[in-house]
Amino acid sequence: MAGKIRNYYAGGNTARGFHNLYQSNLEGLDRLFILKGGPGTGKSSMMKKIGEEWLRKGYDIELLHCSSDNNSIDGVIIRELGVGVVDGTAPHVIEPTAPGAVEEYINLGEAWNSDKLVGKKGNIVKLTGKITDSFQTAYSTFAEALRVHDEWEKIYINSMDFEKANQLTSSLIDKFFGKIKLNKKADVRHRFLGAATPQGAVDFVPNLTEDLSKRYFIKGRAGSGKSTMLKKIAAAAEDKGFDVEVYHCGFDPNSLDMVIVRELGFAIFDSTAPHEYFPNSDRDEIIDMYEELIAPGTDEIFAEDIADIAGRYKGKMQEAISYLANAKSLHDELEEIYIGAMDFEVVNGIQEKISAEIERHAEKE
């Protein structure tokens, strides 16, 4: 029987630049293969093939998706084996803990014809510069959108009952955990709920929550305390020794969008746009922050201001996404140059060596 795939992002194009949560998800692995090589050298395809191989053998795998290319992944983890294969090229900064013993660097540059690349040097440098500029412009535009979003939040923060918010959070923590405290250290993993990609906002909420017995959908407005509540729930889970998956906002990594405690079978998440979902079974429950905490009539009183802010925010987000799409288009051009210089038979040989190494590791386990 084939294993299951868990999909998520560990890196994101955010209002605070490219934000990296890779290390949190690689902690505890016994073997980590870090792939080095330019665009178009087959890193993503190789990782997908390795993941599919172990999936067929019945192992669950984790796919770390690429926020800059909807068709690529940044890594694959076979958690049961303690093995991972990841893209170690910029902007993925992966700090080794025990080079050679745990981490092994794999150079896909062995498979390219340097003479062909030298002849394209000018174009490579030019495209690389344009890609960098597109990403930086996207990040600065996301930052402008965040400042507009802060205006939005302020309206609701000024209309919120903070005492009620604290009471609601305390009651949920008591409901989830009661007086239970496990005699172990919590395993905490930080990830992104979704990501801003060249094709817009993408998330994997259905996949991440499909096996859970209870899902809580938080509804509300910007600034209605959703992230603060999630931070307190995550902290309580960790304090009580429960393993917890902490999902950050793909737009602002300082905010949280979801907490999952699989040992208790529940997820609680921000279910507002751009990751808006609705209950579809009796395992689902809505927590309405607007209804519970915001002064009645706030939407109506500030309707004109809210409409103006929403329009400006949407415009900035669309503009930022267009820069990500431009970076992807330029990246595709750069990939074509490298693909033309690659010997993919050599790449296949490298993949076979990695697969054999993972097989040896699995036999030891």
Side-chain angles (χ1 to χ4, degrees), residues 51-108:
E52 287 163 4
E53 176 187 346
W54 288 91
L55 193 66
R56 287 193 300 272
K57 292 178 180 180
Y59 288 84
D60 294 344
I61 65 169
E62 298 171 19
L63 296 182
L64 285 63
H65 287 257
C66 175
S67 58
S68 300
D69 184 342
N70 296 80
N71 297 317
S72 292
I73 61 171
D74 286 338
V76 58
I77 296 172
I78 312 156
R79 189 74 62 183
E80 191 177 340
L81 294 179
V83 172
V85 187
V86 293
D87 182 346
T89 56
H92 318 106
V93 180
I94 297 168
E95 297 294 340
T97 55
V102 174
E103 296 89 1
E104 182 174 338
Y105 289 92
I106 308 294
N107 179 20
L108 296 184

Side-chain angles (χ1 to χ4, degrees), residues 108-127:
L108 296 184
E110 294 175 10
W112 64 39
N113 183 329
S114 295
D115 290 338
K116 288 186 179 180
L117 293 175
V118 168
K120 302 278 189 178
K121 177 184 173 183
N123 205 8
I124 290 172
V125 170
K126 182 180 174 184
L127 282 169

Side-chain angles (χ1 to χ4, degrees), residues 155-175:
I155 290 172
Y156 293 100
I157 289 171
N158 290 338
S159 302
M160 190 161 98
D161 186 327
F162 287 95
E163 187 177 338
K164 270 191 181 178
N166 290 333
Q167 290 170 356
L168 176 60
T169 301
S170 295
S171 68
L172 286 171
I173 288 172
D174 188 54
K175 178 179 180 178

Side-chain angles (χ1 to χ4, degrees), residues 12-45:
N13 300 305
T14 81
R16 303 180 192 280
F18 183 82
H19 200 81
N20 181 342
L21 296 172
Y22 296 106
Q23 211 65 42
S24 175
N25 294 283
L26 303 178
E27 283 176 6
L29 296 181
D30 300 314
R31 293 290 282 140
L32 180 63
F33 299 92
I34 302 173
L35 307 182
K36 295 287 189 179
T41 53
K43 299 185 294 295
S44 177
S45 297

Side-chain angles (χ1 to χ4, degrees), residues 215-233:
R215 302 191 302 174
Y216 297 89
F217 295 60
I218 308 174
K219 300 294 183 180
R221 312 290 190 271
S224 58
K226 300 185 296 293
S227 174
T228 300
M229 184 168 76
L230 288 169
K231 286 176 181 178
K232 290 179 179 179
I233 290 169

Side-chain angles (χ1 to χ4, degrees), residues 141-153:
T141 308
F142 279 130
E144 290 176 39
L146 182 58
R147 287 191 286 273
V148 175
H149 196 269
D150 288 344
E151 295 178 43
W152 208 342
E153 286 192 343

